[in-house]
Amino acid sequence: MTNTVLEAKNIVRDYHVAGGLFTKARTVHAVKNVSFSVERGKTLAIVGESGCGKSTLARILTLIDAPTAGELFIADKKVDIAHAGLPPEMRRKVQIVFQNPYGSLNPRQKIGDVLGEPLKINTDMPASERRDRAMTMLQKVGLGPEHYNRYPHMFSGGQRQRIAIARALMLNPSLLVLDEPVSALDLSVQAQVLNLLADLQDEFQLTYVFISHDLSVVRYIADEVMVMYFGEAVEYGTRDEVFSNPQHSYTKTLFAATPRADVDSIRARLARKKTAA
Amino acid sequence: MPLLEIKNLRVAFDTSVGEFIAVQGIDLSVDEREVLAIVGESGSGKSVSMLAVMGLLPDTATVTADSMTFNGRDLLTMTVEQRRKIIGRDIAMIFQEPIASLNPCFTVGFQIEEVLRVHMGMDRAQRRARAIELLQQVGIPEPEQRLSTFPHQMSGGQCQRVMIAIAIACNPKLLIADEPTTALDVTIQKQILDLLMRLQAEHGMGLIMITHNMGVVAETADRVVVQYKGRKMEEADVLSLFESPKSNYTKALLSALPDNATGDRLPTVSDFILDAPDGAPA
Amino acid sequence: MSTETTAVPPKATARPGAVAEFWYYFSMNRGAVLGLVVFALLVLVAIFAPLIAPHAPNEQYRDALLTPPIWWENGTAKFILGTDAVGRDILSRLIFGARYSLFIGLVVVTFALTSGIILGVLAGYFGGWVDTLIMRIMDIILSFPSLLLALVLVAILGPGLFNAMLAIAVVLQPHFARLTRAAVMAEKNREYVVSARVAGAGHLRLMLVTILPNCLAPLIVQATLSFSNAILEAAALGFLGMGAQPPTPEWGTMLAAAREFILRAPWVVTFPGLAILITVLAINLIGDGLRDAFDPKLKRS
């Protein structure tokens, strides 16, 4: 058995926009021929700006939508939800965490039920065991048993993101798709959640697909980086390759646009300003 | 003399569970031609103090201050009418959500010209000429055609440019930018920041940049105020803030930046924050 | 300017429970509380009708036809609100009529709500041709004047209280279907629904357990308002002779029977009319209060 958890070959996703009374039907190519693979315990970061197709790709990887063309392998097994359907044991292997911690939890579900739901649907575990597992997971993500009976609105954004991560881990997935998991969080909370993700990766040998637009976060967390631009993967390599020697012009633009918070660049800017004045 | 000077500002909101203090004991001043950044995380009250200056807080808010002057004039004792003449003309503000800040029912041209009509009393031809000039200044191509487009036909970055055009329409002395680039992509953020800095230098405006992004602070500010839970933690010029932060909270913020990560895990605020003011709003 | 840009939402330090919070916002609306009190009294009257009513509703006092109410000339304490053309005590009939009205409201709303929710959830969740089919049928129902459609239905089914209720339920049902569909469509693409899908939830679970509970607030408001609508329409059908049949002490039917005495004995028409007015007003006030309490825009956090 190889160590590859996820492999995507030539994934394509088109959207057909139905024609209205005055407009023609047209096809939007959201993802164009994207291939990559991720090994167990590693993190692949997918970087791009809004509309580059990274969230569409996330939905395909999470087996929510089927690709228009291309092949997807999870743990060396081919997955084809459009034709063959989705076996439950596959469903359990991939889970997702969304960007917006306020929208991703059902407002009418207590935290205990949020965590217990995946087990209730997928296993015939008795309620007491589900409860125990949920309690254990709450502690793993840095919350306590006293949070079990609370509703989502009683939590801060960072805590909700912890709950969302806990829910994703309830089924022991091997692959976690993280769709901008920290971009809605404050800097200090962001650091905590990133640390939590790193801890969990070590503990469970999790594989991450980390989708983000924030290069500083990507540089911190990723092993491999893929840059997407208008549905295409314009750059794909290890983190050090991509950051030290970007090939595509878009990657270079992206790097140049990222604000730098180090003392040297501030000095340089102030000097420039002085000469201009 | 500073352009805007606030001493000991306190803003409290009435809520169903009693009074909620949003900011307390805030001193702020901005000079002409200066870029001041107010940094803080959510709940730090960084927007509230500026909304208080603009008089844009809801009725449930109580604003008190020892003094609040703009260009030598006392904002506290001013009548609503007098204040309205200053707001939008001498002090302008732009917001985080550019698309939501523009009225979707009217064309871009109409919304720019409305400001000119209200504050400058220009006639129709003057207004149109000035609107085209403004769109050119903020870097929108084909300004004549753009006047008749609606906000939903433009991208977020272009909407923010239009918002900036509206803000600088009356040559304000002070521009307040509340998270102007948070909703935008990095490449667009760069363009908008460059634009703001260029306009600030050209017009000699004071600029208050409210943000949570240390990168944006580093790229724009002259002086920085760090706020936490409604109180001021530190005030310093930008270089010394990044070089040798004084307060533990600033240290924590800077080390939580993934750029500065040294070890395997990021330090978090709780590793640093010992001087968090007690009794400050959570 | 919205308060969204405000960095500090006034956050309650200790959040009151959901019920307490609901009551806080509901009780800010004086009218709604008044409506609730009136409605509660009405329910009590309906439940204890045989104990409260001074006479049996259908007992005819042949010696006291068209007796005026107590405060009029010739009024007697025996018949506080007077008697009708065949000598039945109006107060007692009104008290028993409350049972019918509340029963009609309850049954109609239950019918309309159940079928409306089922159709609306199906239409909103599946979309496509299911949506088109269901919603076009709803549009057709909505394009008839409601009373006219109810009349036609009763004419087909035959007059009677049960058929009238069924007809009114059919007429009111599209409102629920539309409301449910809109709410489901808004919730369907929220991330928590996608999360539940990724957790393996099937269609039925997603529809009923995940999405529906989050769509209930507007439905409850609509149900309250439909309750009063149902009472009104049932009264109208009764008045037209298509609803409850005499001698049932239903308020609309009482009005119909009293038509010819409007000038000679105005109390015979006035009191059933007032009863309908007060009930409907009370329920509408409650509906408004509920809307205020559920509307997140009015809440500050």
Side-chain angles (χ1 to χ4, degrees):
Chain A
M1 187 181 146
T2 63
N3 232 352
T4 310
V5 172
L6 171 72
E7 188 172 9
K9 280 186 187 160
N10 305 325
I11 298 282
V12 176
R13 172 76 201 192
D14 297 337
Y15 283 110
H16 295 282
V17 181
L21 201 52
F22 303 108
T23 48
K24 267 191 193 162
R26 62 201 168 91
T27 306
V28 178
H29 306 287
V31 177
K32 299 173 197 161
N33 217 15
V34 171
S35 306
F36 56 88
S37 66
V38 203
E39 283 176 13
R40 174 172 307 279
K42 298 286 181 195
T43 301
L44 168 73
I46 300 180
V47 187
E49 303 194 318
S50 49
C52 73
K54 57 189 197 295
S55 289
T56 308
L57 190 60
R59 288 178 71 93
I60 294 173
L61 297 182
T62 329
L63 313 174
I64 298 170
D65 292 339
T68 312
E71 293 173 307
L72 194 63
F73 298 88
I74 289 172
D76 295 327
K77 279 206 200 80
K78 187 172 170 175
V79 188
D80 184 5
I81 57 170
H83 302 106
L86 180 64
E89 73 269 14
M90 276 304 182
R91 164 49 70 230
R92 301 171 57 168
K93 285 199 172 140
V94 191
Q95 292 292 315
I96 187 165
V97 175
F98 289 105
Q99 167 179 12
N100 177 1
Y102 292 89
S104 60
L105 299 176
N106 187 340
R108 300 206 178 244
Q109 226 176 7
K110 286 181 183 165
I111 300 314
D113 299 329
V114 170
L115 297 186
E117 191 179 35
L119 296 174
K120 192 174 175 187
I121 296 169
N122 290 287
T123 63
D124 37 16
M125 206 177 269
S128 59
E129 198 182 337
R130 289 205 300 264
R131 192 185 157 82
D132 291 345
R133 291 232 186 160
M135 290 288 190
T136 323
M137 192 54 81
L138 271 180
Q139 273 155 357
K140 280 236 158 67
V141 298
L143 296 167
E146 71 274 17
H147 296 117
Y148 187 85
N149 274 323
R150 296 197 188 156
Y151 284 97
H153 71 252
M154 301 161 143
F155 293 91
S156 69
Q159 286 176 316
R160 290 185 203 207
Q161 207 59 310
R162 286 170 190 270
I163 296 164
I165 292 170
R167 169 180 55 193
L169 293 179
M170 285 307 284
L171 291 170
N172 282 326
S174 49
L175 176 66
L176 210 52
V177 176
L178 305 155
D179 189 355
E180 305 257 12
V182 294
S183 22
L185 304 177
D186 276 327
L187 194 54
S188 55
V189 183
Q190 164 178 309
Q192 293 167 2
V193 173
L194 287 176
N195 286 346
L196 171 68
L197 287 172
D199 290 341
L200 292 170
Q201 185 165 42
D202 288 353
E203 184 172 349
F204 297 109
Q205 277 295 297
L206 288 167
T207 308
Y208 290 156
V209 173
F210 191 100
I211 295 174
S212 179
H213 68 273
D214 188 337
L215 285 170
S216 56
V217 173
V218 167
R219 193 208 290 258
Y220 169 72
I221 200 164
D223 297 303
E224 291 188 311
V225 179
M226 183 167 89
V227 181
M228 285 184 76
Y229 185 54
F230 284 112
E232 266 176 277
V234 293
E235 188 111 18
Y236 176 42
T238 65
R239 173 184 60 182
D240 296 337
E241 280 168 20
V242 172
F243 276 89
S244 58
N245 186 18
Q247 300 297 315
H248 195 271
S249 63
Y250 174 71
T251 318
K252 290 175 191 161
T253 318
L254 206 56
F255 286 171
T258 306
R260 239 155 279 200
D262 58 284
V263 176
D264 294 336
S265 40
I266 297 173
R267 274 220 182 86
R269 175 175 71 85
L270 292 177
R272 272 202 309 278
K273 193 172 176 179
K274 214 168 220 170
T275 51
Chain B
M1 184 184 65
L3 189 59
L4 176 72
E5 188 165 35
I6 305 170
K7 288 219 174 87
N8 195 16
L9 176 74
R10 180 179 184 276
V11 179
F13 290 92
D14 286 336
T15 70
S16 58
V17 286
E19 193 181 53
F20 168 79
I21 302 163
V23 295
Q24 198 167 22
I26 296 285
D27 298 332
L28 267 182
S29 73
V30 202
D31 292 333
E32 284 175 27
R33 304 181 167 272
E34 188 186 33
V35 182
L36 173 76
I38 305 180
V39 200
E41 309 191 311
S42 52
S44 64
K46 58 189 187 296
S47 301
V48 174
S49 24
M50 285 306 117
L51 291 172
V53 171
M54 299 288 282
L56 290 175
L57 288 171
D59 292 340
T60 51
T62 322
V63 179
T64 49
D66 289 352
S67 78
M68 192 196 277
T69 57
F70 174 74
N71 215 9
R73 300 178 61 185
D74 190 354
L75 288 170
L76 287 171
T77 55
M78 201 174 270
T79 64
V80 178
E81 287 298 309
Q82 287 171 319
R83 187 185 262 231
R84 197 174 293 153
K85 276 189 193 133
I86 292 185
I87 304 299
R89 182 177 168 156
D90 292 333
I91 311 179
M93 192 160 180
I94 55 176
F95 298 100
Q96 176 174 349
E97 289 290 340
I99 299 174
S101 306
L102 289 169
N103 187 334
C105 297
F106 296 103
T107 61
V108 166
F110 180 88
Q111 297 186 51
I112 301 177
E113 289 176 31
E114 190 180 25
V115 185
L116 296 172
R117 186 169 51 83
V118 172
H119 286 294
M120 311 290 272
M122 292 180 175
D123 67 34
R124 190 183 287 259
Q126 281 175 321
R127 289 205 300 264
R128 194 180 148 80
R130 173 74 175 142
I132 292 174
E133 185 193 332
L134 283 167
L135 286 183
Q136 263 162 354
Q137 275 190 28
V138 296
I140 288 186
E142 301 177 336
E144 290 88 348
Q145 278 87 49
R146 282 291 164 181
L147 283 181
S148 52
T149 53
F150 286 90
H152 69 266
Q153 295 168 313
M154 300 192 304
S155 67
Q158 279 183 317
C159 281
Q160 195 60 293
R161 285 174 193 268
V162 172
M163 280 310 297
I164 295 172
I166 292 174
I168 62 165
C170 307
N171 292 318
K173 296 191 174 69
L174 176 66
L175 178 63
I176 302 172
D178 187 354
E179 303 264 10
T181 58
T182 306
L184 304 174
D185 280 325
V186 197
T187 46
I188 311 295
Q189 161 169 300
K190 169 89 174 155
Q191 294 168 9
I192 296 290
L193 290 181
D194 287 348
L195 172 68
L196 278 174
M197 298 317 289
R198 198 191 83 216
L199 291 171
Q200 186 266 335
E202 279 175 12
H203 292 251
M205 289 184 291
L207 176 62
I208 297 181
M209 186 74 99
I210 302 171
T211 183
H212 69 277
N213 186 330
M214 294 310 271
V216 171
V217 175
E219 297 263 331
T220 57
D222 298 326
R223 207 151 48 82
V224 187
V225 168
V226 182
Q227 269 183 231
Y228 179 67
K229 296 196 175 180
R231 289 174 191 255
K232 188 156 90 174
M233 291 286 111
E234 179 163 1
E235 180 171 351
D237 66 84
V238 63
L239 197 58
S240 40
L241 185 93
F242 279 86
E243 229 169 19
S244 51
K246 302 242 170 2
S247 92
N248 281 340
Y249 179 68
T250 318
K251 285 177 196 161
L253 271 189
L254 289 175
S255 58
L257 282 174
D259 308 300
N260 301 348
T262 43
D264 204 21
R265 298 287 183 271
L266 292 164
T268 58
V269 169
S270 47
D271 299 339
F272 288 81
I273 202 77
L274 304 162
D275 63 345
D278 284 328
Chain C
M1 176 50 224
S2 67
T3 45
E4 277 154 23
T5 45
T6 317
V8 193
K11 222 182 284 171
T13 36
R15 229 173 220 281
V19 178
E21 192 184 300
F22 173 81
W23 179 249
Y24 174 82
Y25 287 106
F26 186 82
S27 60
M28 293 218 292
N29 187 334
R30 293 277 163 78
V33 177
L34 187 71
L36 193 64
V37 170
V38 172
F39 186 72
L41 284 177
L42 213 67
V43 171
L44 288 179
V45 164
I47 293 172
F48 298 108
L51 300 179
I52 302 169
H55 304 280
N58 290 333
E59 192 178 353
Q60 303 181 357
Y61 295 90
R62 287 296 178 171
D63 51 345
L65 305 181
L66 290 178
T67 311
I70 183 168
W71 57 91
W72 282 33
E73 222 178 315
N74 300 331
T76 128
K78 193 178 172 197
F79 306 111
I80 296 173
L81 295 181
T83 59
D84 64 8
V86 286
R88 292 172 297 197
D89 178 40
I90 291 182
L91 179 63
S92 308
R93 286 179 68 74
L94 285 182
I95 289 173
F96 277 91
R99 290 185 148 188
Y100 283 93
S101 288
L102 296 182
F103 176 68
I104 291 168
L106 201 68
V107 172
V108 167
V109 167
T110 314
F111 272 179
L113 193 66
T114 322
S115 64
I117 283 180
I118 294 173
L119 292 175
V121 168
L122 287 175
Y125 184 82
F126 287 108
W129 66 266
V130 181
D131 181 31
T132 313
L133 182 74
I134 293 175
M135 292 327 285
R136 289 306 81 76
I137 295 175
M138 296 302 122
D139 286 347
I140 292 171
I141 298 177
L142 280 174
S143 60
F144 288 99
S146 60
L147 190 61
L148 208 62
L149 181 62
L151 263 179
V152 171
L153 287 172
V154 176
I156 298 169
L157 298 169
L161 189 58
F162 180 77
N163 288 345
M165 290 193 292
L166 207 63
I168 298 166
V170 170
V171 170
L172 291 180
Q173 179 263 114
H175 298 281
F176 290 101
R178 275 194 165 180
L179 214 56
T180 315
R181 171 177 173 265
V184 168
M185 282 173 40
E187 293 294 316
K188 175 172 79 163
N189 292 320
R190 298 274 303 271
E191 286 173 344
Y192 71 86
V193 180
V194 182
S195 296
R197 246 178 96 185
V198 173
H203 289 312
L204 210 59
R205 187 181 175 89
L206 284 180
M207 279 192 279
L208 299 181
V209 181
T210 312
I211 299 179
L212 190 58
N214 289 296
C215 303
L216 285 183
L219 288 173
I220 293 172
V221 176
Q222 177 69 25
T224 331
L225 299 176
S226 293
F227 197 104
S228 60
N229 241 337
I231 294 176
L232 269 185
E233 300 222 339
L237 284 178
F239 183 77
L240 294 170
M242 298 298 227
Q245 296 300 304
T248 317
E250 197 267 325
W251 294 343
T253 318
M254 284 169 73
L255 275 180
R259 221 171 352 185
E260 44 196 299
F261 308 105
I262 287 180
L263 292 177
R264 204 145 48 96
W267 61 89
V268 195
V269 226
T270 312
F271 296 116
L274 272 181
I276 296 174
L277 177 90
I278 291 169
T279 313
V280 169
L281 188 64
I283 298 172
N284 282 347
L285 286 175
I286 297 175
D288 277 352
L290 287 177
R291 195 195 320 254
D292 291 355
F294 282 132
D295 190 346
K297 274 182 230 153
L298 292 171
K299 296 187 188 175
R300 264 163 245 137
S301 58

